[in-house]
Amino acid sequence: MDILAALAAGFAVALTPLNLTLAAIGSFLGTLIGALPGLGPVNGVAILIPLAFALKLEPSSALIMLTCIYYGAMYGGRISSIMLNIPGDEPAIMTTLDGYPMARAGKAAQALGISAMASFIGATLATVGLTLFAPLLAKAAIHFGPSDYFALYVMAFATVGGVVGVNPVKTLFAAFLGLMLATVGLDPGTGTARYTFGSFHLYDGFDPIVAIVGLFAISEVLVYFETLHKSSDGMVKMGRAIPRLREVLQGLTAAFRGSAIGFVCGILPGAGASLGAFVSYTAEKQLSNKDGTFGKGDPRGIAAPEAGNNAAAGGALIPMLTLGVPGSGTTAVMLALLISLNIQPGPLLFTREPDLVWGLIAALYLANLVLLILNIPMVGLFTRLLSLPQWLLMPFVVMVSFIGIYSISHSVFDMFVMVGFGVLGYVLRKFDFPIVPVVLGLLLGADMENNLRRALSISGGDFSILVNSPIALGIYALTLAMLALAFYMARKAKHGPDVSD
Amino acid sequence: MMNRLLGMAFLAMSILYGLAARDYKASFGDPLGPAAFPMIIAIPAALLSLAMVLRPDPDPQWERGAPMLKQGAALAILLGYVALLEPLGFPLSTMLGTALLARLVGTRWSYAAIAGISISLLLFFLFDRVLGLPLPAFPDFMS
């Protein structure tokens, strides 16, 4: 009953005209960004964070708008996957496998309808899960001490990006690279300047938002020019705009299964939406691929990963809000936003800022409804945007990124840093390093170090405190199991049959 | 080979990073001090880089010729844009940067000019006037 009362209070926050408008705008912009090829939720949220600052929004309103952008981009990601065979971002890759063949067979509207329905189911179930489990986890997390948090950060890094095909050595190194970047600047404990090379510009360290926009948006520009000369297959014809209900319902049970799997993947710190989509698709394929229709336009092959990635997106909010440990790239960006709004996520957030948390959760229910409306009857509008010429779109996105960074600090130095991170991001992507662990490292490095130092202050310098608590031990055991699984899967992917066919 | 070289570069970086941390001393504060955490993360980072050197992945495909030139040009435009933002003011530098990027994507000069003018004015109006975010409006020598 507590939860219902809290949720009702949340709806009171979310239903103010301002927040309702922001939720609608956020959903619309998010879908738009998600639909554009090469621009995923991480980019979208990172580029639009400055907008939230520029509008001088209250923290709760800013968070509502950006989370709606996040959900919207998850919905929109499927549009370019289905219509162009170009996933807007990593989680949408699985949707191309059956979505594009189906669209080529003249059933684009049906594919878009099924995926919108599946997205709605996944996102709504995940929001219900968030409502039920987040307060529980927040209550449990109050008992976490500094050494437990340290263990939690270790787990987030060890499990991040556990998607098959990525070399785990590179994933782990990416996390350490992020941690190294996080130590640049004045040390929070003692005020010692570290790795600043005498430049006072670096005393504040690297702003995570600057790094994120560089790593994702600017590196995308460099990738874009590399692939420019390769012709794409072109956009498929839309056909009738609104699908029949019977057709949309074909993937319904697959969507429910995908939601459950995706939600669990989303909660794991560091796992995120890509894993949710991947596991949902593979599980559904193993369960339902009796006639070999998967990969040729099976409705269940669209419903499962779409429900999976949207459910994971919702699930990823749980560790971000309750523990301050994001479960995906986008929640990492939102964590950066919260920190810059002077809000420290964690177990106390639920007792200290109930309006913010519950307003956000209520807004998510509303956003899902808005998104369903935007994505079934109005999907034609977004598909038309895909035919906008690149010479207009690409420079526009670049310039918005630059304005965003300039508006945060009015510092040209930060803009150079952003371009630098763009080059770094390009090199890392070229060599198959995942980017998200770098962001997580940069974002969580300071907290990780502070918790380590706090734990050792308590014990007077005795390192055994790190493994003295049962909570920390449990987290380490889980981490080891997941690491073993990641290395096993990577080995299997290398030697065994190709699982991604 | 490229993977191996990158691994070596990361290995050198991790070692230098760890060694540099030894100089960070504080006379007060907690038992760990500012040097310990960088040294703790330098060790696994170095080991992971070593693993990349010893067991390298297959090399990535690099595009040579025109795509590479375009990437270089794009980077030059981005850096030039940042360098000229304050000297030239937002509308003028954005107009230039946008037009050059649009041209680089492969459209005609006339379309590129349209993109430059429309995007720079739209963004300036939107952010500076509507959202109240002060952007440098004029070149240095005019203001």
Side-chain angles (χ1 to χ4, degrees):
Chain A
M1 279 304 107
D2 277 2
I3 290 178
L4 282 184
L7 195 58
F11 271 103
V13 175
L15 284 173
T16 58
L18 174 69
N19 287 343
L20 213 52
T21 317
L22 289 173
I25 293 175
S27 304
F28 180 80
L29 285 178
T31 313
L32 198 78
I33 288 165
L36 298 175
L39 268 182
V42 186
N43 276 325
V45 176
I47 294 173
L48 292 176
I49 279 180
L51 187 67
F53 284 116
L55 291 170
K56 298 190 180 63
L57 296 173
E58 295 277 304
S60 61
S61 302
L63 193 62
I64 285 174
M65 186 174 84
L66 284 160
T67 317
C68 289
I69 292 172
Y70 174 34
Y71 266 42
M74 294 303 297
Y75 272 75
R78 75 196 209 287
I79 296 177
S80 59
S81 299
I82 291 172
M83 301 300 286
L84 294 172
N85 202 20
I86 302 172
D89 63 330
E90 210 176 61
I93 291 172
M94 304 313 284
T95 311
T96 60
L97 298 182
D98 276 283
Y100 188 63
M102 194 166 187
R104 291 200 66 173
K107 293 190 273 189
Q110 191 188 343
L112 288 170
I114 291 169
S115 53
M117 192 45 126
S119 298
F120 176 75
I121 291 171
T124 305
L125 288 180
T127 310
V128 173
L130 174 67
T131 316
L132 295 175
F133 295 128
L136 288 180
L137 191 58
K139 250 178 219 155
I142 289 185
H143 304 291
F144 280 30
S147 51
D148 305 325
Y149 270 103
F150 183 75
L152 205 61
Y153 291 133
V154 172
M155 173 159 144
F157 291 123
T159 56
V160 72
V163 178
V164 178
V166 179
N167 183 347
V169 170
K170 288 188 168 172
T171 310
L172 282 177
F173 182 81
F176 280 105
L177 185 63
L179 288 175
M180 290 188 198
L181 291 170
T183 54
V184 173
L186 292 183
D187 160 40
T190 58
T192 315
R194 297 189 291 188
Y195 306 105
T196 54
F197 303 104
S199 159
F200 71 91
H201 283 300
L202 286 175
Y203 273 27
D204 287 335
F206 294 117
D207 185 330
I209 296 175
V210 173
I212 288 164
V213 177
L215 285 170
F216 288 99
I218 300 300
S219 78
E220 186 62 39
V221 174
L222 298 175
V223 171
Y224 171 77
F225 279 109
E226 185 175 329
T227 52
L228 183 60
H229 63 290
K230 292 175 188 155
S231 58
S232 101
D233 296 341
M235 191 154 82
V236 293
K237 288 254 168 7
M238 181 68 188
R240 55 176 286 145
I242 298 176
R244 291 185 191 87
L245 188 62
R246 183 172 46 82
E247 295 172 340
V248 171
L249 295 181
Q250 271 177 359
L252 204 60
T253 47
F256 279 106
R257 283 191 289 268
S259 306
I261 295 172
F263 183 67
V264 174
C265 292
I267 297 177
L268 295 175
S274 313
L275 187 71
F278 180 81
V279 179
S280 306
Y281 185 83
T282 4
E284 188 62 32
K285 192 176 169 187
Q286 269 172 5
L287 187 75
S288 317
N289 191 19
K290 304 246 161 43
D291 314 320
T293 48
F294 272 63
K296 295 177 190 137
D298 193 303
R300 293 164 299 186
I302 301 172
E306 266 309 306
N309 75 33
N310 282 281
L317 289 172
I318 294 180
M320 196 275 275
L321 288 173
T322 57
L323 303 169
V325 179
S328 69
T330 320
T331 42
V333 180
M334 292 176 56
L335 182 70
L337 168 81
L338 283 179
I339 293 171
S340 48
L341 290 168
N342 278 326
I343 293 169
Q344 184 61 50
L348 295 176
L349 189 66
F350 279 73
T351 41
R352 272 193 207 147
E353 308 261 3
D355 280 1
L356 180 112
V357 176
W358 291 103
L360 170 68
I361 294 174
L364 290 178
Y365 283 104
L366 299 174
N368 270 321
L369 279 178
V370 175
L371 283 165
L372 190 65
I373 296 167
L374 281 178
N375 278 282
I376 291 188
M378 287 172 65
V379 72
L381 180 72
F382 294 106
T383 55
R384 222 159 290 148
L385 277 169
L386 292 183
S387 46
L388 269 183
Q390 277 297 329
W391 53 265
L392 205 56
L393 225 46
M394 203 275 290
F396 183 76
V397 172
V398 171
M399 291 308 163
V400 172
S401 316
F402 274 124
I403 294 194
I405 295 308
Y406 189 75
S407 72
I408 293 178
S409 59
H410 289 267
S411 144
V412 170
F413 179 79
D414 274 356
M415 296 168 81
F416 278 120
V417 170
M418 175 174 97
V419 178
F421 270 104
V423 175
L424 176 70
Y426 173 74
V427 172
L428 292 177
R429 286 169 71 171
K430 202 65 206 170
F431 283 93
D432 282 331
F433 286 85
I435 302 284
V436 171
V438 183
V439 174
L440 282 185
L442 179 58
L443 208 53
L444 300 180
D447 271 337
M448 190 174 178
E449 181 176 7
N450 288 341
N451 275 297
L452 177 68
R453 286 160 82 164
R454 216 171 291 150
L456 289 177
S457 303
I458 296 171
S459 72
D462 181 3
F463 273 87
S464 68
I465 188 172
L466 294 178
V467 290
N468 265 348
S469 113
I471 300 176
L473 278 179
I475 296 173
Y476 284 126
L478 194 60
T479 307
L480 278 180
M482 291 176 65
L483 261 185
L485 189 70
F487 273 93
Y488 170 75
M489 301 250 284
R491 181 164 287 255
K492 206 173 134 195
K494 213 181 240 175
H495 299 296
D498 190 3
V499 283
S500 61
D501 64 350
Chain B
M1 200 57 219
M2 297 290 291
N3 260 290
R4 206 161 248 175
L5 283 177
L6 188 70
M8 283 180 198
F10 282 148
L11 180 63
M13 187 188 81
S14 308
I15 292 172
L16 287 177
Y17 175 89
L19 290 179
R22 289 189 309 179
D23 298 337
Y24 301 132
K25 291 196 181 71
S27 48
F28 62 95
D30 51 318
L32 215 51
F37 186 73
M39 282 155 95
I40 292 172
I41 58 177
I43 294 165
L47 291 177
L48 289 165
S49 327
L50 194 63
M52 280 182 248
V53 176
L54 296 178
R55 299 191 59 189
D57 282 350
D59 277 342
Q61 292 286 316
W62 294 91
E63 298 290 339
R64 303 199 182 279
M68 217 174 180
L69 282 178
K70 284 199 166 181
Q71 287 175 313
L75 196 59
I77 294 172
L78 295 181
L79 290 173
Y81 171 73
V82 176
L84 291 176
L85 178 66
E86 284 182 342
L88 286 187
F90 179 84
L92 198 56
S93 56
T94 307
M95 211 174 286
L96 274 175
T98 309
L100 288 174
L101 277 178
R103 171 71 189 162
L104 198 60
V105 172
T107 186
R108 275 182 265 157
W109 275 116
S110 50
Y111 287 175
I114 294 170
I117 293 166
S118 55
I119 288 178
S120 62
L121 292 182
L122 174 80
L123 289 179
F124 184 74
F125 180 75
L126 191 69
F127 281 85
D128 190 272
R129 292 294 130 89
V130 179
L131 296 175
L133 192 100
L135 293 167
F138 299 107
D140 268 350
F141 60 84
M142 284 171 69
S143 51

